[in-house]
Structure formats: structure tokens, C-alpha cells
Amino acid sequence: MNSVVFDAIQVLLDEGKTPTVALTKSRLAQPVPMPMIIAAVSQYKNNPDSINNFIKTSQQPENTELKASQLDRIEQKLDQLLALLEQK
């Protein structure tokens, strides 16, 4: 399953709303095929605990990659700023 869909379902749950296909689709951060949305919502409705298990297992690697990417961008900007200061 796509973690983006489960993230959208988690947002709805955090807001106290019951996930539906339409609500989940409206909360997506990026386009996802409709069958994937339907499957995720169905999975949640059949086993609400499955969303928690999926989010716990998939969340850590994504956060690590995101932090590394952000750190790389910050380092590049810092290098640019230091280069500008050295020129003056």
C-alpha cells in the first residue's frame, strides 16, 4: 500500500473523522490511483489496527531520508553563503 494514503487516513483519524474514500482523497499530498485509495480505506475499515501497524513500520525510514535530504540542502546553502562571504 502507498504510505501517502495511510498518512491521509491518519490525518482524518487525528481530526476525529471517519475515513471514507472521498475524505481520504481530499487529504492526499500527491495523486494516487483510486483503486489504491479504495483498498486502503477498505483495509482500515476491516481492521482499524492495521493502519497503526503500517504507519509505525513505514514512518521511520521515510523520516530518516527526509532529514538527510534537508540536511544536504542546508549544507549546500551554507557553502554558497560562505563562498559569497569569501568573495567580499
Side-chain angles (χ1 to χ4, degrees):
M1 283 294 143
N2 193 329
S3 65
V4 175
V5 179
F6 285 110
D7 290 343
I9 291 173
Q10 187 61 51
V11 167
L12 290 169
L13 293 173
D14 292 343
E15 293 175 358
K17 297 180 180 178
T18 302
T20 63
V21 173
L23 283 174
T24 302
K25 184 175 179 175
S26 71
R27 297 298 195 285
L28 291 174
Q30 63 190 39
V32 176
M34 187 61 77
M36 209 175 264
I37 299 168
I38 294 169
V41 172
S42 295
Q43 180 179 341
Y44 169 76
K45 287 183 178 182
N46 291 332
N47 183 8
D49 292 332
S50 67
I51 185 97
N52 295 330
N53 295 336
F54 181 82
I55 289 174
K56 286 178 187 175
T57 58
S58 69
Q59 194 171 21
Q60 189 140 12
E62 291 176 11
N63 286 342
T64 304
E65 292 172 11
L66 179 62
K67 288 178 183 177
S69 173
Q70 289 174 339
L71 182 59
D72 289 341
R73 287 196 312 265
I74 291 169
E75 287 177 347
Q76 288 174 347
K77 288 180 182 180
L78 181 60
D79 290 340
Q80 291 173 348
L81 289 172
L82 289 173
L84 286 172
L85 286 173
E86 289 174 0
Q87 287 177 358
K88 293 184 178 187

